[in-house]
Amino acid sequence: MSHNQTPSALLAPRSARSGRSNYELYSWMFMRISGIILVFLVLGHLLIMNILDGGVQRINFGFVAGRWSSPFWQVWDLLQLWLAMIHGGNGLRTIINDYAERDSTRLILKSLLYVAVVFTILLGTLVIFTFDPNIA
Amino acid sequence: MASGTLYKGREGMWSWVAHRITGVAVFFFLFVHVLDTALVRVSPDAYDRVIASYKTPLVNLMEVGLVGAVLYHALNGIRLILVDFWSKGPKYQRQMVWVISVIWLVVMIPGFYFMTKHTFEQMFGA
């Protein structure tokens, strides 16, 4: 779409939306719902990992093994991974749409973004589910 | 643009700019962080070696920046939700920028102390 064209919604602001999906509405709603959940998950994660009880200085393989022996922290980290990656991926999608003016640039950047998001979610999920505390 | 605009160059615009910058920064860190954590599937030694870099003074300082960025993004995100869903949200959006700034400082001052305590002890002696 050229940037010189006036969007149809501005030409006829009270007209009914025709045949378009509600994708952007769901995206807007998802950002708010996932955002509220992430406030607790991520700030809790940062408080435990970086501030309490010596912070980052006490983290090592044994520390991770101790945490992931509990399903509670496995579920915490899994939920945090999925929500944060989709929330962040959707945020970057919005930013690419705002600043990348050429269609080809947008396509390339968004393809890279989607590949990175899917790869990171799958890798992180695999690591949480296949973690072995007795690995040699 | 003519003077007298309500939004441009004021608290609303700058909080929006900061929301984007902190969001992008946190996203890129998250990508790296999943990669470094994935080393637990390689070997305990590989993981411990990469985590050792997180304990150096320079990276430790960057972690303070990361926590500051996440905390700002979280507080401003709550503000955005209040602007969208609280009936008085739009009226008080500007005041809420100052409220979250104060909360940010109140959390970050002790946060900075506890996060960098070890680094300062290491660099300047107990």
Side-chain angles (χ1 to χ4, degrees):
Chain A
M1 186 178 70
S2 159
H3 280 254
N4 299 325
Q5 276 175 339
T6 306
S8 57
L10 288 182
L11 290 171
R14 304 272 182 234
S15 61
R17 285 152 48 81
S18 57
R20 301 284 298 276
S21 77
N22 283 326
Y23 184 77
E24 292 299 336
L25 172 69
Y26 295 136
S27 152
W28 177 88
M29 204 62 210
F30 171 79
M31 292 308 260
R32 274 137 192 86
I33 294 169
S34 61
I36 290 173
I37 302 169
L38 283 165
V39 166
F40 294 100
L41 292 178
V42 175
L43 291 184
H45 179 80
L46 290 176
L47 182 70
I48 293 165
M49 296 300 184
N50 291 283
I51 294 175
L52 295 182
D53 194 27
V56 73
Q57 302 297 333
R58 75 200 194 293
I59 297 178
N60 57 29
F61 183 86
F63 185 81
V64 176
R67 281 170 64 80
W68 278 348
S69 64
S70 152
F72 178 81
W73 295 115
Q74 285 183 316
V75 171
W76 181 302
D77 286 348
L78 195 68
L79 201 62
Q80 183 172 241
L81 168 75
W82 279 71
L83 288 178
M85 280 312 293
I86 300 172
H87 185 102
N90 197 35
L92 251 84
R93 180 185 70 89
T94 306
I95 288 175
I96 292 169
N97 280 339
D98 278 357
Y99 300 118
E101 298 197 351
R102 290 172 55 200
D103 285 347
S104 57
T105 314
R106 273 204 303 279
L107 183 71
I108 292 166
L109 289 177
K110 279 200 257 184
S111 305
L112 274 172
L113 173 68
Y114 296 151
V115 169
V117 167
V118 170
F119 170 78
T120 311
I121 288 177
L122 290 181
L123 177 69
T125 304
L126 186 82
V127 167
I128 292 171
F129 278 119
T130 67
F131 177 72
D132 173 11
N134 301 314
I135 190 172
Chain B
M1 186 168 278
S3 64
T5 51
L6 291 168
Y7 190 77
K8 194 181 180 192
R10 304 220 41 175
E11 291 90 336
M13 185 189 105
W14 291 114
S15 63
W16 172 84
V17 170
H19 201 75
R20 290 210 148 175
I21 293 172
T22 54
V24 172
V26 170
F27 181 81
F28 281 111
F29 170 74
L30 178 58
F31 179 67
V32 174
H33 183 46
V34 172
L35 294 181
D36 66 56
T37 304
L39 289 174
V40 296
R41 289 298 293 123
V42 177
S43 76
D45 187 53
Y47 180 75
D48 287 348
R49 263 184 290 145
V50 76
I51 290 303
S53 64
Y54 278 96
K55 303 176 188 180
T56 59
L58 180 66
V59 183
N60 185 226
L61 211 58
M62 291 164 74
E63 284 149 23
V64 177
L66 174 75
V67 170
V70 171
L71 182 62
Y72 171 79
H73 200 84
L75 290 170
N76 193 55
I78 294 168
R79 171 180 160 270
L80 289 179
I81 291 171
L82 289 172
V83 169
D84 286 343
F85 292 107
W86 177 35
S87 59
K88 294 198 175 84
K91 190 181 163 196
Y92 292 116
Q93 66 87 10
R94 219 155 64 80
Q95 285 86 338
M96 285 194 285
V97 174
W98 294 104
V99 172
I100 67 166
S101 304
V102 169
I103 297 173
W104 188 88
L105 270 178
V106 166
V107 176
M108 284 309 286
I109 291 168
F112 179 84
Y113 172 77
F114 286 113
M115 288 184 71
T116 57
K117 195 165 174 278
H118 178 88
T119 294
F120 280 106
E121 284 169 359
Q122 203 180 28
M123 288 176 78
F124 306 109

